[in-house]
Amino acid sequence: MAVLSVITMWFLLTGELLKILNKFYKRNEMQKIAADQGLDARLFHQAFISFRKYVLEISTLSADLHIILNDICCGAGHIDDLYPYFMRHAKQIFPMLDCMEDLRKISDLRVPANWYPEARAIQRKVIFHAGPTNSGKTHHAIQRYLAAKSGVYCGPLKLLAHEIFEKSNTAGVPCDLVTGEERTFVDAEGGQAEHVACTIEMCSVTTPYEVAVIDEIQMIRDISRGWAWTRALLGLCAEEIHVCGEPAVINFVTELMYTTGEEVEVRNYKRLSPCSILDRAVESLDNLRPGDCVVCFSKNDIYSISRQIESRGLECAVIYGSLPPGTKLSQAKKFNDPEDPCKILVATDAIGMGLNLSIKRIIFNSLVKPNINEKGEKELNTISTSQALQIAGRAGRFSSIFKEGEVTTMHRDDLPILKEILSRTVHAIEIAGLHPTAEQIEMFAYHLPDATLSNLIDIFVSLSQVDGMYFVCNIDDFKFLADMIQHIPLNLRSRYVFCTAPINKKQPFVCTSFLKFARQFSRDEPLTFDWVCRLVSWPLVPPKNIKDLVHLEAVHDVLDLYLWLSNTMCLMRSLIQELDSIIQLGVRNITRLIRRRSGPSPVSPRRVRGAPKAQDSGVEAGQLDKSLGSRLVQEGLLTPDLLKQLQKEWSKEHRQEEVGVKLKK
């Protein structure tokens, strides 16, 4: 009986305690006070769950908490008296609450202009070149760049950086190229030129220049990469900053420059060649004409449309985002060449920036595009006016053989929708992206030594303060990589660098390779040329089907990732060039790959286009030559003697290089 009485009393007491705790949780006053101490609604809930479990399940409560609970049960205390004990417990599970004031100061992003003292030390002149696609705005900015004693071009794509790099050197202005994956110095001894063309993430905010060009400034609002344009605009140390982009960004850039005490000079440009919206849809691929570009928003549509076009006896070029830059350029050259029978282009909106194409008519196959929203979620939305104008503007470019452009849709029902989209005013851009720096995260880690990098990022974002002109860019990809390599022993700076790697997380092979890079690096083992060759199973062969082509694209991403991490592997660049050639061969035969989507045909494989027949080459039918050099000889592009001479030169050069190069931070 005594035992039953104790159990009954325990159950009664537990029920009473549960009521008290739940009543405390529902007190708005307690949540408001806790929020002032750094516990937002999410953290308050997590802390309460832990506190409730602690009170109800621990065998012996501390004396002071036991007395308070007893007083509340007896009516001698108030529910709010639990707050100090709740906060004491919360600080045990959330250590950042003890240094909240310091963390808030570190994550204060309200005045990012102050992050760049070198830029604030000079009075910069900002010139905004505003206009639609094909208005010559970037051309005028580049002319000033070429005329300057020193300059930096900052573009959104490697292709654009390459274009300015080549244009500058062709014009007799020595220019280096800097992208995430590549460093090309025109000085044979490695000295830096006064001009540099780079992808915007790679621009230096400490090097002084006379002129800086920031291209496609409207991307300052991009939810993933917008921070790079913000950093360049606020931080570049140049006497003149030439900004190129849509007129919808003029007011925002002007307002942003008020925070730096700099005025903006606006130069407006009009389109150089007319572009009209047609009154009829194409409706059938039978109605395609030379100079047509069919725009799709999915790779599957690209494959399907290109197969249907070639089944009609027409050749088409193919361009989509995940193709390597070299393959895109090769396909663009094929389409632009008046002597080439390829007169049709099938592409995604990857043609919107970075490629000069001789397009007469843009044909939208669809007006719906998958997008990633502010929460990192995938959505299917009708394309925006800005996107539609960017793509439509590729028709009838001033420098192409077509002096007038045309725009229409494939399907009749889409045409009135497209007209309505293009008739809208482009929404003004009113916000710019920011991203926590490595230094800020390191300061967070100093205060929270036991937190994971993913947790540090979460806490930083939750505490960050931004004013109405800024937002914190989406960090889901960063956190994805941080969680992936959390178990690998790395110092924080190395971990941060790995997590900023530009990889496609949808590609399992790329993610697996990323993990292997991180493991090898953590063991202090060299990532050698041979090691990477084994990783990607080099040498590779032209693809037999679409699945093979997609894998080759993933391999190219892995090699790009390796270059991005090292920037010292000259041997790797030759590997990438050879892989680029193999992918180009696959894209040229894309219709054949589609027919063999499910795998190799049981019959003898067809001969690679342009290669000799089996009996001519002295190999068995179906045997695939793995050597690019041999293939070039077979196609008549090299003689055997010239190939031997080149191989001797390569061997001599490679012997002088250090094969095993340790990744640098």
Side-chain angles (χ1 to χ4, degrees), residues 11-61:
F11 272 114
L12 289 173
L13 181 59
T14 300
E16 189 65 27
L17 285 177
L18 190 58
K19 289 179 182 178
I20 291 171
L21 293 171
N22 288 339
K23 188 176 179 181
F24 171 82
Y25 176 73
K26 294 176 181 178
R27 289 271 292 165
N28 290 332
E29 293 82 355
M30 294 298 96
Q31 294 191 28
K32 290 178 181 178
I33 296 173
D36 292 337
Q37 299 294 315
L39 280 179
D40 59 20
R42 181 177 61 87
L43 295 180
F44 182 86
H45 176 74
Q46 293 177 0
F48 173 75
I49 296 298
S50 178
F51 181 64
R52 184 178 64 188
K53 183 178 181 180
Y54 166 74
V55 170
L56 296 179
E57 295 182 6
I58 194 167
S59 56
T60 54
L61 286 173

Side-chain angles (χ1 to χ4, degrees), residues 62-190:
S62 60
D64 52 354
L65 179 56
H66 183 88
I67 292 170
I68 289 295
L69 288 170
N70 185 67
D71 287 348
I72 296 172
C73 287
C74 298
H78 193 275
I79 197 77
D80 292 354
D81 294 341
L82 280 177
Y83 179 76
Y85 303 95
F86 167 75
M87 284 304 299
R88 183 173 69 185
H89 182 81
K91 288 180 179 180
Q92 291 176 350
I93 59 173
F94 297 123
M96 76 276 194
L97 297 176
D98 274 330
C99 51
M100 190 59 65
E101 194 60 33
D102 290 332
L103 297 180
R104 281 204 175 105
K105 289 178 181 178
I106 297 168
S107 58
D108 189 341
L109 308 179
R110 287 175 294 184
V111 193
N114 292 345
W115 301 350
Y116 310 103
E118 291 91 345
R120 299 292 76 79
I122 60 176
Q123 187 65 28
R124 307 180 307 171
K125 181 180 180 181
V126 182
I127 298 108
F128 195 123
H129 300 266
T133 303
N134 194 26
S135 61
K137 56 184 183 295
T138 305
H139 170 77
H140 285 86
I142 293 302
Q143 292 307 305
R144 178 67 188 97
Y145 163 84
L146 294 174
K149 294 178 182 178
S150 62
V152 57
Y153 168 83
C154 308
L157 301 171
K158 288 183 283 187
L159 281 175
L160 284 171
H162 270 276
E163 181 183 337
I164 302 304
F165 165 72
E166 292 175 357
K167 181 179 293 186
S168 182
N169 286 300
T170 301
V173 179
C175 176
D176 294 336
L177 175 68
V178 178
T179 70
E181 299 79 16
E182 190 170 358
R183 302 285 190 280
T184 302
F185 299 100
V186 291
D187 184 347
E189 297 181 359

Side-chain angles (χ1 to χ4, degrees), residues 294-574:
V294 182
V295 176
C296 309
F297 294 114
S298 79
K299 196 184 291 187
N300 284 337
D301 285 347
I302 289 279
Y303 296 150
S304 175
I305 295 292
S306 61
R307 179 184 61 80
Q308 294 177 58
I309 290 173
E310 295 207 352
S311 70
R312 288 165 166 78
L314 302 172
E315 285 196 38
C316 67
V318 177
I319 296 174
Y320 51 88
S322 59
L323 282 178
T327 305
K328 290 177 187 172
L329 288 172
S330 172
Q331 291 291 294
K333 183 179 180 181
K334 178 182 175 70
F335 174 71
N336 288 339
D337 186 355
E339 304 300 323
D340 197 291
C342 173
K343 300 301 179 188
I344 308 295
L345 176 63
V346 183
T348 63
D349 54 338
I351 64 167
M353 289 183 290
L355 289 170
N356 290 317
L357 298 161
S358 295
I359 298 172
K360 170 65 175 176
R361 184 170 60 166
I362 287 285
I363 303 165
F364 285 89
N365 186 62
S366 169
L367 298 175
V368 176
K369 178 185 176 183
N371 290 302
I372 304 297
N373 63 21
E374 291 80 359
K375 298 179 181 179
E377 301 165 338
K378 188 175 181 179
E379 295 179 338
L380 287 174
N381 296 316
T382 303
I383 59 174
S384 68
T385 300
S386 178
Q387 291 170 330
L389 288 171
Q390 188 83 29
I391 298 167
R394 311 308 291 182
R397 300 217 16 117
F398 182 72
S399 58
S400 76
I401 61 174
F402 301 111
K403 301 307 178 186
E404 295 186 10
E406 298 173 345
V407 183
T408 186
T409 59
M410 180 62 69
H411 307 289
R412 186 185 306 175
D413 293 343
D414 285 339
L415 188 54
I417 300 174
L418 177 63
K419 289 183 176 181
E420 195 273 329
I421 291 172
L422 292 174
S423 68
R424 299 176 195 157
T425 301
V426 178
H427 291 303
I429 292 176
E430 300 175 338
I431 198 165
L434 295 173
H435 192 282
T437 66
E439 291 76 17
Q440 289 169 325
I441 298 303
E442 282 180 334
M443 286 190 284
F444 254 55
Y446 173 79
H447 291 285
L448 305 170
D450 297 325
T452 66
L453 179 55
S454 183
N455 286 341
L456 289 172
I457 290 289
D458 271 339
I459 296 168
F460 186 97
V461 173
S462 68
L463 295 180
S464 62
Q465 303 173 70
V466 295
D467 66 20
M469 298 176 69
Y470 300 100
F471 70 96
V472 179
C473 284
N474 188 291
I475 52 168
D476 286 350
D477 286 352
F478 186 99
K479 288 179 56 185
F480 174 83
L481 297 180
D483 289 335
M484 187 189 300
I485 62 172
Q486 180 53 44
H487 65 288
I488 298 175
L490 293 166
N491 63 56
L492 185 65
R493 179 58 69 106
S494 297
R495 193 179 298 278
Y496 183 95
V497 170
F498 269 96
C499 293
T500 55
I503 76 168
N504 182 358
K505 66 181 183 182
K506 296 179 182 178
Q507 284 281 7
F509 180 71
V510 178
C511 293
T512 302
S513 301
F514 174 79
L515 265 176
K516 291 179 179 178
F517 284 145
R519 286 199 190 102
Q520 189 83 345
F521 181 78
S522 71
R523 296 169 184 152
D524 203 28
E525 296 177 1
L527 281 80
T528 64
F529 177 77
D530 290 339
W531 184 87
V532 176
C533 285
R534 290 194 299 273
L535 175 66
V536 300
S537 301
W538 192 268
L540 299 167
V541 298
K544 297 183 178 70
N545 49 54
I546 287 294
K547 183 179 178 182
D548 290 349
L549 179 61
V550 172
H551 176 68
L552 290 184
E553 292 168 5
V555 172
H556 199 284
D557 287 346
V558 170
L559 300 185
D560 263 352
L561 170 63
Y562 186 62
L563 281 180
W564 186 89
L565 289 167
S566 66
N567 289 313
T568 56
M569 305 295 282
C570 298
L571 291 174
M572 186 56 59
R573 292 194 178 92
S574 66

